């Protein structure tokens, strides 16, 4: 069960409940397949059950939680078919974001991407999963923001947590290497050169590469519930 947390300001209860529960799912503190009770989560968060139920309903919409009324509410398992479908969606969304964003990228934005990748490389070297994923998000957020497409941004943010929990569980196998740092460097240079098509192609190739690695982990049964 989740460890203790601080009480939440009433005006933000539902949103913060969502954020905390989602983080616990991504990090594996709430493991795939585990059953959860809104009463226990509410006690942990220092909230009433209503905002927790609202958060869980929103997490059902994102696919991180599944519920059967009167029977159970549980964390969605890591199903290979669902993961492959999500990867395909993220690949397409990433390509659209890059193609749209590159013409809008400024020198300051490119600098922010380089800074994020520097932090990412340092976190990878320390095997600091949380900081690495945060830095990775910072880098890609520059592109997402530059695309200036609110719906695209919403869709990407909706599906990212489903992939992040796989990255978090198998970080060293997926992102914990120099390959990801080098990919970021190449992507940044193509963005700096305003080569939108090449940058989008590179982004898609990297997503497919990670998808292949994830497939190998499923083949090796590396995503068992007991993991």
């Amino acid at each position: 069960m989740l460890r203790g947390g601080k009480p939440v300001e009433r005006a933000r209860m539902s949103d913060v409940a969502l954020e905390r529960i989602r983080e616990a799912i991504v990090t594996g503190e709430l493991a795939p397949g585990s059953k959860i009770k809104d009463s226990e989560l509410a006690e942990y968060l220092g909230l009433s059950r209503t905002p927790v139920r609202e958060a869980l309903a929103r997490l059902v919409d994102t696919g991180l939680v599944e519920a059967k009324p009167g029977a159970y509410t549980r964390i969605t398992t890591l199903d290979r078919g669902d993961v492959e479908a999500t990867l395909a969606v993220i690949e397409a969304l990433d390509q659209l974001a890059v193609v749209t964003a590159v013409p809008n990228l400024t020198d300051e934005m490119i600098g922010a991407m380089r800074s994020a990748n520097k932090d990412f490389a340092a976190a990878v070297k320390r095997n600091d999963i949380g900081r690495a994923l945060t830095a990775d998000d910072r880098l890609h957020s520059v592109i997402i923001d530059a695309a200036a497409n609110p719906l695209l941004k919403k869709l990407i943010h909706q599906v990212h947590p489903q992939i992040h929990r796989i990255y978090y569980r198998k970080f060293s196998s997926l992102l914990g290497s120099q390959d990801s740092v080098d990919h970021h460097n190449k992507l940044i240079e193509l963005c700096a050169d305003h080569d939108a098509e090449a940058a989008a192609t590179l982004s898609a190739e990297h997503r497919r590469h990670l998808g292949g690695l994830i497939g190998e982990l499923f083949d090796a049964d590396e995503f068992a519930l007991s993991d």
Side-chain angles (χ1 to χ4, degrees):
M1 191 53 201
L2 295 177
R3 295 181 289 275
K6 297 179 180 180
V8 181
E9 296 177 11
R10 180 167 299 276
R12 302 173 57 235
M13 288 189 296
S14 180
D15 287 344
V16 176
L18 174 71
E19 182 179 340
R20 290 188 183 176
I21 297 169
R22 182 171 55 201
E23 181 181 3
I25 295 171
V26 168
T27 62
E29 192 173 351
L30 289 173
S34 62
K35 293 184 178 180
I36 51 179
K37 297 180 179 180
D38 55 18
S39 59
E40 293 178 352
L41 287 174
E43 182 178 358
Y44 158 72
L45 294 171
L47 298 171
S48 66
R49 295 171 70 175
T50 298
V52 171
R53 286 174 178 170
E54 292 173 355
L56 290 174
R58 291 162 67 184
L59 289 167
V60 168
D61 290 339
T62 67
L64 291 176
V65 171
E66 56 185 358
K68 184 176 181 180
Y72 61 78
T73 300
R74 66 189 180 195
I75 308 305
T76 305
T77 56
L78 291 169
D79 177 82
R80 181 171 189 162
D82 290 342
V83 170
E84 289 176 346
T86 302
L87 284 169
V89 170
I90 283 188
E91 179 183 325
L93 293 175
D94 275 353
Q95 282 188 285
L96 177 58
V98 172
V99 166
T100 308
V102 167
N104 301 329
L105 290 171
T106 64
D107 290 344
E108 182 179 1
M109 292 175 179
I110 296 297
M113 292 173 69
R114 289 196 171 106
S115 176
N117 195 37
K118 182 178 179 180
D119 291 343
F120 177 81
V124 166
K125 188 174 182 178
R126 296 192 304 269
N127 200 35
D128 188 332
I129 303 172
R131 289 186 181 276
L133 290 180
T134 296
D136 185 65
D137 282 346
R138 277 173 47 211
L139 189 155
H140 291 285
S141 289
V142 174
I143 293 174
I144 294 169
D145 289 341
N149 184 327
L151 178 57
L152 176 62
K153 182 175 182 176
K154 179 179 178 179
L155 291 172
I156 290 175
H157 285 175
Q158 181 174 326
V159 296
H160 260 175
Q162 299 184 49
I163 300 303
H164 276 193
R165 66 176 180 153
I166 293 178
Y167 290 168
Y168 203 100
R169 287 162 67 84
K170 293 297 174 184
F171 175 77
S172 60
S173 301
L174 297 169
L175 295 180
S177 70
Q178 186 62 35
D179 287 348
S180 291
V181 178
D182 292 342
H183 159 72
H184 286 161
N185 282 328
K186 292 176 183 176
L187 178 64
I188 292 168
E189 293 312 311
L190 289 172
C191 288
D193 290 340
H194 295 287
D195 192 338
E197 293 297 332
T201 297
L202 178 67
S203 180
E205 289 174 350
H206 188 61
R207 286 293 184 186
R208 286 194 290 270
H209 172 67
L210 292 175
L213 294 178
I214 291 171
E216 291 175 6
L217 292 173
F218 272 107
D219 290 337
D221 198 25
E222 290 289 321
F223 288 122
L225 293 180
S226 59
D227 182 24

